Amino acid sequence: MTELSRRTALRGAAGASFALAALPLLGAGTASAAPAGFPEYRFLRTAFDKSKLQYPPARREVIFPCIRGVYDKLANPLGRYYLYYAPHDAPGGICLSYADSLEGPFIEYPHNPIVKNVWKPHYDVSHVSSPHVLWHEQSRELWLYFHGENTTTRLARSKDGIHFTYDKTVLSTSMLPKGTTETSYAKVFEHDLPSRGAKYVMVFMINTTANHRGIGWGWSADGRNWTFSQTPLIRPEDVGASNIAAPTVVRRNNSTYVVYHENIEAGGNMLITEVGNDFSKRKHLGVFHAPLKGAPDNGRCAAASFGTMNGKEYMFYEAGERLKGAIAIARAV
């Protein structure tokens, strides 16, 4: 693949003093700017101490962060920013914490999970996980995309970001070629594709009977009804990995990119591919963000979600080994 030289582990940084203390400085390393003009993100702190969460499954692992500013969208929100996340193993459960700053401290919503693995009469599954929340301007709602089982991505909708109404299944393995075994970790973004009559794109993880995970994509005019490419957007072999997952769409310099992570055996990095504004390009640019060798990353970073506050860029991400993750906050430097 076309790859920039891999960056050494980023230096941790001691955060400012908050009610929930930032983690200490975590060693040193020389870091260079990320590809395509993106900033370098440096670890600041974990969003919260997962061991102190009230919802028991979340004390083991919390993954797939999705950060959303709601102060200008919702009436009387709990805080200026809502952070959605979930455990993965059964029963999972979509959870919420909130804060008035992207640097925290984040406070757990006391009635987690806000979406459970059983929602009669709509579904009864082993787990629900991987929340991604989109502000849908036309309906003035927050739309939650989540999976359960790993074969099915679902949509629920909310006026307050807490209480959701079930809508429908938006993606399943049956919508992709025979041999597809998983379609999960989906994220949806507003993105115009005039040639396809679309105003939204979805990126997600695909697994097949070959058991090597790649990135798929689809497009939609309304965010509810979707058409999916029958060939992967990015294959793991394209970037020298066995598995890639948890994609997100980002824009910079009038172009469009997909950020995703590779398996820890391949390096545990987040990688970046330029797909262009019409998703026809495949320019693999290498490492977007390298994990810290020590806590909380322990050699693996994944599932990025981005936000901006007071002109400063932030990245929330899943830190740590699979099924042992914490939610970390990094800040552009």
Side-chain angles (χ1 to χ4, degrees):
M1 64 179 171
T2 302
E3 178 171 332
L4 303 182
S5 59
R6 293 179 181 261
R7 296 184 290 163
T8 55
L10 299 179
R11 286 174 291 183
S17 177
F18 293 105
L20 178 61
L23 293 182
L25 194 67
L26 294 176
T30 301
S32 59
F38 287 89
E40 174 201 330
Y41 291 95
R42 186 162 297 171
F43 173 74
L44 179 66
R45 59 184 291 168
T46 52
F48 44 69
D49 181 348
K50 69 179 182 179
S51 70
K52 296 180 181 179
L53 294 174
Q54 296 180 45
Y55 180 51
R59 295 176 199 151
R60 296 192 303 268
E61 52 148 355
V62 280
I63 56 179
F64 295 109
C66 179
I67 188 70
R68 288 292 174 259
V70 296
Y71 54 89
D72 57 348
K73 297 176 176 64
L74 305 180
N76 303 311
L78 299 173
R80 291 175 62 83
Y81 300 95
Y82 280 8
L83 175 61
Y84 298 90
Y85 55 93
H88 189 276
D89 275 2
I94 309 304
C95 298
L96 170 67
S97 289
Y98 57 93
D100 285 326
S101 167
L102 287 179
E103 297 190 4
F106 280 84
I107 300 168
E108 182 184 19
Y109 177 64
H111 304 297
N112 282 331
I114 58 175
V115 173
K116 299 180 180 181
N117 65 314
V118 177
W119 194 342
K120 299 291 187 180
H122 308 298
Y123 61 76
D124 184 344
V125 296
S126 70
H127 76 288
V128 292
S129 193
S130 69
H132 179 77
V133 174
L134 168 80
W135 173 249
H136 191 265
E137 182 65 36
Q138 286 181 307
S139 63
R140 303 292 297 173
E141 293 176 336
L142 288 166
W143 287 19
L144 167 66
Y145 299 84
F146 63 103
H147 82 251
E149 309 287 355
N150 282 40
T151 59
T152 305
T153 295
R154 307 173 187 275
L155 170 63
R157 299 161 62 170
S158 175
K159 293 290 187 183
D160 65 4
I162 301 171
H163 305 94
F164 284 85
T165 300
Y166 188 81
D167 190 336
K168 61 182 292 188
T169 293
V170 293
L171 169 63
S172 71
T173 52
S174 65
M175 300 174 185
L176 291 170
K178 184 178 179 180
T180 302
T181 59
E182 294 179 64
T183 49
S184 52
Y185 313 158
K187 294 186 178 185
V188 173
F189 302 87
E190 285 191 40
H191 187 90
D192 286 332
L193 288 173
S195 65
R196 300 180 186 269
K199 294 190 175 294
Y200 299 89
V201 295
M202 178 190 295
V203 289
F204 55 94
M205 185 197 77
I206 304 173
N207 196 12
T208 70
T209 52
N211 203 30
H212 291 290
R213 293 161 180 84
I215 306 302
W217 79 292
W219 53 92
S220 171
D222 60 7
R224 297 183 68 245
N225 302 290
W226 292 85
T227 302
F228 296 103
S229 171
Q230 299 300 290
T231 57
L233 182 69
I234 308 168
R235 297 176 174 85
E237 59 267 28
D238 296 339
V239 293
S242 296
N243 294 285
I244 53 177
T248 192
V249 174
V250 289
R251 287 183 55 81
R252 205 86 174 185
N253 300 326
N254 198 35
S255 192
T256 303
Y257 305 79
V258 177
V259 172
Y260 49 96
H261 74 268
E262 63 186 353
N263 55 300
I264 194 168
E265 296 83 1
N269 301 288
M270 293 184 204
L271 307 179
I272 183 170
T273 294
E274 184 177 6
V275 296
N277 293 334
D278 63 357
F279 276 63
S280 66
K281 186 181 289 189
R282 302 291 184 273
K283 187 175 182 181
H284 306 302
L285 298 173
V287 174
F288 178 82
H289 184 79
L292 295 163
K293 293 180 180 178
D297 297 9
N298 296 320
R300 179 179 179 272
C301 56
S305 181
F306 299 92
T308 302
M309 182 181 70
N310 299 328
K312 181 69 78 171
E313 297 179 73
Y314 292 81
M315 179 176 70
F316 287 66
Y317 68 96
E318 174 187 329
E321 305 95 321
R322 185 175 180 274
L323 304 182
K324 297 181 181 179
I327 305 302
I329 306 170
R331 186 173 59 198
V333 294

